[in-house]
Amino acid sequence: MATLIDGKALAAKIKAQLIEEAKTLPRRPGLAVILVGKDPASRIYVTNKEKDCEQCGFLSYEYKLPEETSEDEILDMIGYLNNNAKVDGILVQMPVPAQLDEEKIIFAISPDKDVDAFHPVNVGRMVIGDPVFLPCTPAGIMEMFKEYNIQIAGKRCVVLGRSNIVGKPMATLLMQNDGTVTTCHTKTENLAKYTREADILVSAAGHRNLVTADMVKDGVVVIDVAMNRNEEGKFCGDVDFAEVSKKASYITPVPGGVGPMTRAILLKNILTASKRHQGIQ
Ligand code: GUN
């Protein structure tokens, strides 16, 4: 039976460290959050991020913009926040309404305040191995491996999903830590052929029951990034947890696995940004 990787507990431990470190700073770290429209899931995510900031003694500034916000309006707001000395991090909650171009928004945020690490400067820095900020979800997963002494060097790592937010940076970080990495996606033929080879399997596909017990080998480490809903409306991941956990050596639950770690790393990035802005390294 697999050991459960407790993301909630590890996130609490990281937060406790951040709280102590934040107390030593001359000025409180500040996060600006921009939320465009009324998407209920985004609303919950933003509220959680603001609560996290409060718990850590960080300030958060919320900018709720109407659904019909124009590109000029949001770019002006980002420009204002880029130049606001109280703001260390800027986060535009994605997705944004269709009239807004996500790429233009990401490019407009100053790389120094890009606590999501979505800006090409931060993506590039990560790829060359000289990061300032790492993307929250993949960096949170790397912290889980460290905490549970899970070795990556020489292991076969399989990542399901190739998004800019999770799949691509996850594959990059695993490779940089000497894993042998395969990225699978919607066009991959015979997915099980790859997943059965995996020593470490990270699933960020967003399809319930995508990974079943017959698709993994004994002793696999399973990280389930997805947040799907089952027929009862409860959160579940991509992995058939009940069956796969009988074969795995380690597995993350959904919820309570990767999600809390993503939030913890965002806080870490805000603190990093603030220290840099305050001239403290
Ligand atoms: N929407 C879903 N995940 C994220 C995230 O990590 N950052 C932002 N800004 N938007 C998101």
Side-chain angles (χ1 to χ4, degrees), residues 11-25 27-30 48-60 263-268 270-271:
K13 189 167 141 183
I14 291 170
K15 265 168 131 173
Q17 290 164 358
L18 298 176
I19 289 168
E20 289 311 309
E21 209 178 335
K23 283 183 193 160
T24 68
L25 298 181
R27 174 176 66 70
R28 289 167 76 182
N48 285 338
K49 288 169 188 174
E50 288 165 355
K51 275 192 208 154
D52 288 340
C53 282
E54 197 181 325
Q55 271 179 17
C56 287
F58 300 178
L59 296 167
S60 66
R263 288 164 58 183
I265 302 299
L266 175 67
L267 294 163
K268 184 178 170 198
I270 297 165
L271 186 72

Side-chain angles (χ1 to χ4, degrees), residues 42 45 49 90-95 116 118 136-137 165 262:
S42 291
Y45 291 141
K49 288 169 188 174
I90 302 171
L91 186 149
V92 179
Q93 185 64 31
M94 304 294 180
D116 272 321
F118 291 167
C136 301
T137 299
I165 298 186
T262 299

Side-chain angles (χ1 to χ4, degrees), residues 55 67 92 97 101 109 121 161-162 166 176-177 223 233 270 272 281:
Q55 271 179 17
E67 185 77 31
V92 179
D101 181 342
I109 295 171
V121 166
R162 55 176 160 183
V166 183
Q176 279 173 354
N177 283 273
I223 307 291
I270 297 165
T272 299
Q281 272 322 304

Side-chain angles (χ1 to χ4, degrees), residues 67-182:
E67 185 77 31
E68 61 278 8
T69 299
S70 71
E71 193 164 280
D72 283 348
E73 283 169 327
I74 192 163
L75 295 180
D76 281 353
M77 168 143 287
I78 292 169
Y80 159 76
L81 294 169
N82 280 341
N83 292 311
N84 185 327
K86 287 184 190 156
V87 171
D88 296 301
I90 302 171
L91 186 149
V92 179
Q93 185 64 31
M94 304 294 180
V96 286
Q99 77 276 14
L100 301 176
D101 181 342
E102 265 183 24
E103 199 171 88
K104 274 196 190 157
I105 290 170
I106 290 168
F107 281 45
I109 295 171
S110 164
D112 282 341
K113 298 193 176 187
D114 171 37
V115 286
D116 272 321
F118 291 167
H119 190 285
V121 166
N122 288 316
V123 176
R125 293 195 72 135
M126 173 193 64
V127 172
I128 64 172
D130 183 26
V132 174
F133 307 115
L134 288 173
C136 301
T137 299
I141 294 168
M142 297 310 286
E143 290 294 325
M144 287 172 151
F145 293 141
K146 227 186 274 170
E147 178 74 9
Y148 285 81
N149 286 316
I150 295 166
Q151 298 303 310
I152 296 159
K155 301 295 184 209
R156 285 188 170 244
C157 307
V158 175
V159 178
L160 309 186
R162 55 176 160 183
S163 70
N164 289 340
I165 298 186
V166 183
K168 283 184 208 169
M170 187 76 251
T172 304
L173 294 181
L174 288 166
M175 181 178 62
Q176 279 173 354
N177 283 273
D178 302 322
T180 302
V181 185
T182 304

